[in-house]
Amino acid sequence: MAVQKDWHKPLNPHPPWRCAPVVVPNTLGQDNRMTLWDGSFPFYPGTNACFPFDTTWAIIASVFLSALVTSIIILPGIRGKGRLFWLLRVVTSLFIGAVVLTIQFTRDWESGWVTANTSYKSFSLAVVNVDIGLHIGLAGVNITLVGNPVNQVNETINYNEHFAWSFDADYDHSYSKSLEKGLPSPILYVAEKFTTQSPCNVHRQYRISSRYASITLWMALCTWLISILLFSMPVLLYGGYMFLLTAVLMLFSLLFFVMVRNIPKCPIQFGPASLKTDYGRSFWLTLTTGLLCLLLGLGVIVLNSVHPQKLKLVFNLDEGRREDVDGWDKSHLPAESSSSEQDILMVSLGELCEVTATKL
């Protein structure tokens, strides 16, 4: 007798609102108790993964390195002593252009570090030992937080947060978003010092000075490009003037940024430790490059007035002009006639004279 199956009968004997218990064997002797979001608090999102390097720097470096490699490839085609001078001019020009463009996007014009024991997050009694860094650039401020060691209170303490204050960004909005994300208390404490509502009142000064410094650096990049064009034409004297103007603009950008240091500093205290900032690598790199442009511009102007021939030798103008003149002379001089052609011409003229005398 065939048994009729009831296909409408549910296979799960338990009601739909009840879940059958699942038992996971503990084969490794570990505790298999699970918590929400794999042990992390739901109201504190995980840290964002950091890219290993700045993509803006990578793009700028790739462009200028490509130009340098191209110059090295065509270097064997340059003859004479001018090969070394040409390579030196190319390397110096590319270095200046790369620095002027890169420092627009760097974030270490002013930086400082402090190691302190401080509370980690709000509504928590946990105290951690961390390194707190403040890095100020032309576009905003970066605040870093690195634990000592990195893994503390069951978390990886390695933060790097950027708060922009450029004219197309809202610093207070970024700070409010950080409060909603629940970032660590040291980062929020430092970021609060630069808000518009802070009693420190440093937001406006940093924003305006950084803006003017950025504008002068873009102008310096334009004058650098004009100097390269003038040197290649070649109009050496005006190229030196443009180099001199590039140096002046770079030094003025430093002056705009230095003006912020004259205002009273806002104290950033973490217990007995204090976070103090000083000029960073970008500031000193800008100063060095500006002085280099100043020396090069003055050197071109002085050599052009005192020893113009030496200046032409540096820019490979004497050899090229001498070769052009020699080639022009050779191409425009009449070809020398051979001795046999001269003899034939003399014989013909003598016979012509005899014939004329006989007739007379």
Side-chain angles (χ1 to χ4, degrees):
M1 181 177 180
V3 180
Q4 184 179 3
K5 296 182 179 180
D6 189 1
W7 299 100
H8 301 283
K9 185 177 180 180
L11 297 178
N12 188 2
H14 300 281
W17 59 83
R18 294 180 60 188
C19 297
V22 179
V23 179
V24 180
N26 189 1
T27 57
L28 299 178
Q30 299 177 351
D31 189 4
N32 288 314
R33 290 176 296 178
M34 301 296 293
T35 58
L36 189 61
W37 275 281
D38 197 15
S40 63
F41 296 102
F43 44 85
Y44 287 144
T47 58
N48 296 328
C50 297
F51 207 67
F53 53 85
D54 195 335
T55 55
T56 304
W57 296 359
I59 294 173
I60 296 174
S62 62
V63 170
F64 282 91
L65 285 177
S66 300
L68 179 60
V69 170
T70 304
S71 303
I72 293 175
I73 291 175
I74 65 177
L75 184 63
I78 301 175
R79 296 175 297 176
K81 301 177 181 179
R83 182 182 303 174
L84 180 60
F85 290 116
W86 187 84
L87 180 62
L88 184 61
R89 294 199 316 270
V90 169
V91 172
T92 305
S93 300
L94 291 177
F95 171 76
I96 294 173
V99 169
V100 174
L101 186 58
T102 303
I103 55 180
Q104 288 275 0
F105 309 99
T106 54
R107 298 172 181 177
D108 56 350
W109 280 68
E110 187 177 350
S111 60
W113 285 91
V114 67
T115 302
N117 294 317
T118 180
S119 60
Y120 183 45
K121 290 185 177 179
S122 302
F123 310 106
S124 176
L125 299 177
V127 177
V128 293
N129 183 266
V130 291
D131 290 331
I132 307 165
L134 175 60
H135 312 282
I136 301 174
L138 300 182
V141 58
N142 264 63
I143 304 173
T144 58
L145 184 70
V146 182
N148 292 319
V150 177
N151 295 317
Q152 298 184 54
V153 294
N154 296 327
E155 289 192 31
T156 301
I157 305 176
N158 189 4
Y159 290 86
N160 185 11
E161 299 294 329
H162 179 66
F163 300 89
W165 56 40
S166 56
F167 281 94
D168 58 346
D170 190 350
Y171 185 93
D172 291 341
H173 180 72
S174 301
Y175 177 72
S176 300
K177 287 293 183 181
S178 300
L179 288 174
E180 296 176 2
K181 289 168 58 178
L183 291 179
S185 297
I187 295 179
L188 296 176
Y189 170 68
V190 177
E192 189 270 337
K193 299 292 184 179
F194 295 90
T195 58
T196 56
Q197 305 299 327
S198 175
C200 296
N201 196 23
V202 296
H203 175 84
R204 184 174 178 271
Q205 285 80 0
Y206 269 107
R207 186 179 184 183
I208 294 177
S209 62
S210 299
R211 186 64 175 177
Y212 280 111
S214 178
I215 291 174
T216 53
L217 285 176
W218 284 119
M219 294 173 62
L221 181 65
C222 296
T223 55
W224 169 78
L225 289 173
I226 295 174
S227 67
I228 298 301
L229 293 176
L230 292 175
F231 281 137
S232 61
M233 290 179 63
V235 186
L236 304 183
L237 181 60
Y238 292 100
Y241 287 152
M242 285 294 106
F243 248 41
L244 204 61
L245 183 57
T246 303
V248 171
L249 290 172
M250 295 184 71
L251 296 178
F252 263 102
S253 68
L254 296 175
L255 180 62
F256 286 130
F257 192 82
V258 167
M259 291 174 62
V260 186
R261 304 279 296 186
N262 296 328
I263 62 176
K265 284 296 179 180
C266 189
I268 305 176
Q269 293 289 141
F270 294 94
S274 177
L275 177 58
K276 297 180 180 180
T277 59
D278 202 354
Y279 296 125
R281 291 176 296 179
S282 296
F283 181 90
W284 297 115
L285 182 60
T286 307
L287 178 61
T288 304
T289 309
L291 294 178
L292 176 62
C293 291
L294 182 65
L295 293 177
L296 291 176
L298 291 176
V300 170
I301 295 173
V302 171
L303 281 178
N304 185 77
S305 59
V306 178
H307 299 288
Q309 297 301 325
K310 292 184 178 180
L311 182 62
K312 293 178 181 179
L313 178 63
V314 173
F315 284 88
N316 301 339
L317 296 182
D318 280 349
E319 294 182 0
R321 182 172 297 179
R322 189 180 299 112
E323 291 177 358
D324 293 341
V325 171
D326 293 343
W328 187 87
D329 291 340
K330 291 181 181 179
S331 62
H332 288 76
L333 286 176
E336 296 181 357
S337 57
S338 61
S339 58
S340 59
E341 291 177 354
Q342 292 178 358
D343 295 340
I344 294 173
L345 182 61
M346 292 176 63
V347 171
S348 301
L349 289 175
E351 293 177 353
L352 182 60
C353 294
E354 292 177 359
V355 172
T356 305
T358 304
K359 288 182 178 180
L360 292 173

